[in-house]
Amino acid sequence: MNLGGHHFRLPSLHNYHQHQGAPQLEPIVHEPSEVVCGPLLRYIEIDYRRRTWHGSSLVVSNDQRPPKLELKVQEKDSKTVQTIQVQGELLDVFRNKYYFWRFAINVPLTDEGQVATYTLSCLPETQSYNFHLPAYDESMRFMFHSCNGFSDIAQEIKDSFGEKEAPLWQDVLDRHEVMPFHVLLGGGDQLYQDRLIHEEFMKPWVEEKDPVKRVGMTLPDSMREGFEHFYFWNYVKNFGFEGNPVVANAFASIPSVNMWDDHDIIDGYGSYPADMQRADCFTVLFANASRFYYLFQHHTTIELAPRHGMIRGSLPTCNHIVTTLGAGIGLISLDARGERTKYAVCTQQSYDAVFNTLRKTMPKTIKHLLVLTGVPLVYPRLTLFEKAMDGAAGFNLATIAGKTGALGDIISGQLNRWNGDPELLDDMNDHWTAANHEVERRTFIEKFQQYAKEYSIRVSFLGGDVHCCGAGRLYSKDMKEKEEADPYFMVQIISSAIVNIPPPQALLTVLNQNSSYETFNPNVEEKMYNLFKFSPNGNSRNNKKLMGMRNYTAGYYDEDTGKMNFWIQAEKIVGKKGTMGYLIDVPRLVFGANAENLHRFDTRHLLSLPHELYNTLASAASRVTGLVDHDAPQPYGEADRVGGFVMPPRHD
């Protein structure tokens, strides 16, 4: 299979046959239903002209006949119940036994929020799940997470961090009970594939000592089948109720919008040299990772992804997301892995497709645009790693890159097991601030600066990957006291990891001590917030910019103030349920003579219009002044009495 110059040998699909995206079925043999994974919920978009919420559910079972999903929807405090029935659509079959059934869920929205309760014919009659739908003109409450799994580390460390209990996911579900989330934003590394290097089928590759022979190896059938087996069952273990019940409950109760990062494939994928990326081992690995990523995380296939709400890049394996999170929030989730090379995160074709879709489809009510990039756009420079290597005794390449376990051992030995070269520090190449991506990063941010100016829409960035939390921002030097009027004021939320362990404290200390401001252009600087003056347990901190505590971010748009409120919820006690919230409230953008009036338009009137762009505000140069700079947001306030993420009372 030739995917835009990348050749992939697809794994053996046995009797599964693709024909225009639909498999042919074997003769039906009736067996009791066995669901190995699911239900999983996915959010796609809201069609405002038809007032309809679009999403999907997925189950993986041995059912050869299409199961049925029944959905009952009702407004809070209402006795009226709407019933919707959906028959499963077959996407794929794993080894003639397990069938991927997709259920398209389309629900009419009303003027009030609704609760949807669904059951599946392949599950026991008593088993049902709920999820929450926003009102037609309401912005969604969301939760952002990344690094939902452990690297290749010792089991006793996983146990000490509460692997089986999943304490931060328990915290998410507790908050969901009180103030329900409408959507989960998966920022990458929704699971970790790293342990495949220890699997028996990998021995021919691992035991080949000659790097040239290893890269040039043609894989035996046992390895090809091993990859397919590993990726399927690793998803089942990580997303299924039997292997990961707390996370599975969250995925069944809150619709997700996911985007992959390297660990959804293999550590560092896309940042290795071209000969390694083209090696038979990596092409077969990537074909399997792609197949199951689109199935489990997006309820689609590579071929069907554009039909199911994704934006195609330059390769079939690269698909971006442009959607809304209700009436006031737009979302871009950039695919930074599907076409990545060591020297480019995305192609120009991808950027054009994303920005063209953004300008054509965002409704006029959008006031805040979230841009999810996996790896943060604003983060301390990679030159700090080099300083750490020179100045910190006992540091080696593994600790600098944040690696542990088998991969850390490989790096520490100065030899990369994947291709035999001296360690390439793929994590450094993964960063937007790496030299290889400096120009691409600048151009990407400048496009959002122009977009913010044209449409008076605030832009904020979401990123994870780095196993710590923090916040940074870009801002105009001459607008420090007038953030509300500064279109270049853009906040970066860094939230990672919800499961994986923090990097070495010594590394975070070096990053904290050396992360001063950077000059983006003559009038725009980028800087990290001094956010963490206190630890979640109340102790004062020296390292205030990055904190090595597991975390996730909860957020909502406040219609009364026009602010986007991001709560970074950090673990209080390692391995125990309970988090403390750190608030970053991002002001609305009021830029241009017509901006104030534009955002006062009746929301429902604007939502009823076709998805068209409104007239550019670029020619309007007036700016509103008077806000106080919040250089160091305070983590402790009224809401923190209950641990953060509490919406203010409404004043209707």
Side-chain angles (χ1 to χ4, degrees):
M1 186 177 186
N2 189 325
L3 302 181
H6 289 60
H7 295 273
F8 300 91
R9 183 176 288 118
L10 289 173
S12 171
L13 302 184
H14 298 278
N15 293 324
Y16 167 74
H17 171 68
Q18 285 189 335
H19 177 65
Q20 296 182 342
Q24 293 179 347
L25 299 179
E26 294 295 305
I28 293 175
V29 177
H30 296 285
E31 295 180 357
S33 291
E34 178 194 4
V35 176
V36 294
C37 194
L40 307 171
L41 286 177
R42 179 190 179 218
Y43 164 69
I44 300 175
E45 64 178 357
I46 293 174
D47 184 334
Y48 292 103
R49 285 176 289 179
R50 296 178 175 84
R51 297 173 67 103
T52 303
W53 183 99
H54 295 295
S56 61
S57 181
L58 180 87
V59 294
V60 184
S61 73
N62 65 343
D63 292 274
Q64 298 179 46
R65 290 186 183 276
K68 292 181 180 179
L69 180 147
E70 183 174 274
L71 191 74
K72 294 184 181 296
V73 186
Q74 65 182 124
E75 293 181 2
K76 184 180 180 181
D77 301 326
S78 172
K79 295 182 180 180
T80 303
V81 179
Q82 179 184 10
T83 301
I84 301 170
Q85 292 189 336
V86 184
Q87 184 167 292
E89 165 198 3
L90 184 61
L91 293 176
D92 199 341
V93 185
F94 175 73
R95 298 193 174 179
N96 284 336
K97 184 172 183 180
Y98 295 113
Y99 297 76
F100 288 82
W101 294 108
R102 179 185 189 271
F103 304 87
I105 302 176
N106 306 308
V107 184
L109 296 180
T110 66
D111 293 343
E112 301 294 333
Q114 301 173 96
V115 178
T117 302
Y118 69 100
T119 57
L120 288 153
S121 62
C122 54
L123 294 174
E125 292 182 5
T126 57
Q127 198 165 334
S128 65
Y129 301 93
N130 300 328
F131 64 96
H132 293 259
L133 297 162
Y136 169 63
D137 61 349
E138 183 183 9
S139 296
M140 294 184 187
R141 293 180 295 274
F142 59 88
M143 190 279 272
F144 171 73
H145 65 94
S146 66
C147 303
N148 180 37
F150 288 103
S151 301
D152 182 24
I153 58 177
Q155 185 59 49
E156 56 265 28
I157 299 178
K158 296 179 184 179
D159 291 341
S160 69
F161 278 82
E163 179 183 27
K164 295 179 181 178
E165 293 79 14
L168 271 79
W169 279 108
Q170 288 188 41
D171 193 78
V172 169
L173 291 173
D174 285 352
R175 294 182 189 278
H176 180 62
E177 286 293 318
V178 178
M179 188 62 63
F181 295 108
H182 296 112
V183 66
L184 299 177
L185 305 180
D189 300 343
Q190 272 70 253
L191 78 171
Y192 280 65
Q193 315 282 15
D194 301 352
R195 66 181 179 86
L196 72 82
I197 199 169
H198 298 298
E199 297 294 304
E200 186 70 20
F201 74 87
M202 285 296 296
K203 277 190 173 182
W205 174 270
V206 172
E207 293 178 352
E208 175 54 66
K209 304 303 181 185
D210 187 329
V212 175
K213 290 182 179 179
R214 188 186 300 129
V215 171
M217 180 186 296
T218 299
L219 301 191
D221 289 343
S222 60
M223 283 192 69
R224 297 179 188 281
E225 293 184 1
F227 276 120
E228 183 191 30
H229 181 275
F230 174 84
Y231 277 98
F232 175 83
W233 287 108
N234 201 37
Y235 265 105
V236 169
K237 176 184 177 183
N238 283 274
F239 283 20
F241 275 91
E242 182 176 345
N244 210 356
V246 179
V247 173
N249 190 23
F251 289 173
S253 306
I254 313 173
S256 291
V257 177
N258 291 324
M259 183 54 66
W260 60 357
D261 202 24
D262 58 337
H263 291 280
D264 299 271
I265 308 165
I266 194 64
D267 187 14
Y269 183 86
S271 295
Y272 291 108
D275 62 340
M276 181 177 170
Q277 298 282 158
R278 291 193 298 264
D280 197 29
C281 179
F282 260 52
T283 56
V284 174
L285 177 154
F286 186 52
N288 281 280
S290 299
R291 175 190 174 192
F292 293 115
Y293 161 69
Y294 282 102
L295 287 167
F296 282 98
Q297 298 201 40
H298 296 289
H299 311 174
T300 191
T301 64
I302 292 174
E303 293 78 11
L304 295 176
R307 188 188 303 178
H308 291 151
M310 305 189 79
I311 311 300
R312 185 77 92 199
S314 66
L315 294 176
T317 52
C318 180
N319 293 276
H320 314 279
I321 295 171
V322 178
T323 189
T324 66
L325 303 182
I329 307 173
L331 173 69
I332 290 176
S333 190
L334 189 75
D335 185 340
R337 293 293 162 184
E339 60 188 15
R340 189 188 190 102
T341 68
K342 184 179 177 181
Y343 299 102
V345 176
C346 290
T347 64
Q348 189 60 48
Q349 182 176 332
S350 270
Y351 290 122
D352 290 344
V354 167
F355 280 95
N356 288 341
T357 303
L358 175 68
R359 292 174 181 273
K360 290 178 180 177
T361 62
M362 284 295 109
K364 297 179 182 180
T365 55
I366 296 299
K367 304 177 184 69
H368 206 116
L369 178 67
L370 303 180
V371 181
L372 193 161
T373 60
V375 179
L377 282 160
V378 179
Y379 194 69
R381 290 297 185 267
L382 296 177
T383 52
L384 298 176
F385 287 102
E386 298 173 4
K387 293 179 182 178
M389 290 174 67
D390 292 337
F395 267 35
N396 58 35
L397 290 172
T399 56
I400 291 297
K403 302 293 188 184
T404 55
L407 288 177
D409 294 340
I410 295 164
I411 295 171
S412 297
Q414 310 294 302
L415 192 67
N416 187 308
R417 186 174 293 187
W418 288 113
N419 67 346
D421 286 346
E423 168 53 31
L424 298 166
L425 292 181
D426 54 273
D427 276 22
M428 292 190 185
N429 286 326
D430 272 0
H431 276 262
W432 286 93
T433 50
N436 289 347
H437 307 310
E438 185 177 0
V439 173
E440 184 177 359
R441 172 185 179 270
R442 175 178 296 277
T443 303
F444 190 43
I445 292 173
E446 287 173 345
K447 286 180 178 291
F448 288 115
Q449 291 177 332
Q450 181 61 33
Y451 180 80
K453 287 173 60 179
E454 280 188 46
Y455 302 113
S456 192
I457 293 176
R458 176 69 69 202
V459 176
S460 294
F461 303 119
L462 298 174
D465 179 79
V466 291
H467 301 174
C468 61
C469 53
R473 83 273 198 200
L474 294 142
Y475 59 93
S476 300
K477 289 190 289 185
D478 59 353
M479 300 287 285
K480 282 187 177 182
E481 306 299 320
K482 309 168 186 177
E483 290 174 348
E484 187 175 55
D486 182 6
Y488 295 164
F489 178 74
M490 300 177 180
V491 168
Q492 169 78 68
I493 302 298
I494 301 167
S495 189
S496 169
I498 194 168
V499 170
N500 211 346
I501 67 172
Q505 185 57 47
L507 173 59
L508 292 176
T509 298
V510 171
L511 291 174
N512 271 279
Q513 291 174 349
N514 291 276
S515 55
S516 59
Y517 76 89
E518 298 284 342
T519 299
F520 183 82
N521 64 35
N523 192 46
V524 176
E525 292 179 344
E526 49 188 287
K527 193 175 183 180
M528 301 298 294
Y529 283 113
N530 289 313
L531 181 60
F532 305 110
K533 295 184 177 181
F534 298 91
S535 295
N537 61 11
N539 294 332
S540 61
R541 291 176 52 84
N542 293 322
N543 298 335
K544 299 179 176 63
K545 296 174 182 175
L546 297 172
M547 184 168 70
M549 301 295 292
R550 297 192 299 178
N551 64 92
Y552 64 89
T553 292
Y556 66 92
Y557 180 78
D558 188 336
E559 295 287 350
D560 291 335
T561 65
K563 291 182 177 181
M564 181 70 76
N565 293 274
F566 298 100
W567 286 96
I568 296 178
Q569 297 292 143
E571 187 174 32
K572 287 183 179 181
I573 302 173
V574 172
K576 304 295 183 182
K577 183 176 69 173
T579 61
M580 175 56 70
Y582 297 81
L583 173 64
I584 302 95
D585 58 341
V586 180
R588 64 178 183 168
L589 175 59
V590 182
F591 176 81
N594 299 321
E596 280 273 28
N597 290 330
L598 175 69
H599 290 326
R600 286 180 181 147
F601 286 164
D602 181 73
T603 299
R604 293 177 186 176
H605 171 69
L606 288 175
L607 285 172
S608 68
L609 297 175
H611 288 218
E612 298 172 345
L613 297 175
Y614 47 93
N615 294 332
T616 178
L617 300 176
S619 60
S622 65
R623 295 183 174 186
V624 179
T625 64
L627 279 193
V628 178
D629 179 37
H630 57 273
D631 182 68
Q634 297 300 309
Y636 291 94
E638 286 295 315
D640 284 296
R641 293 180 182 177
V642 289
F645 187 52
V646 175
M647 293 178 64
R650 306 301 300 177
H651 302 289
D652 297 326

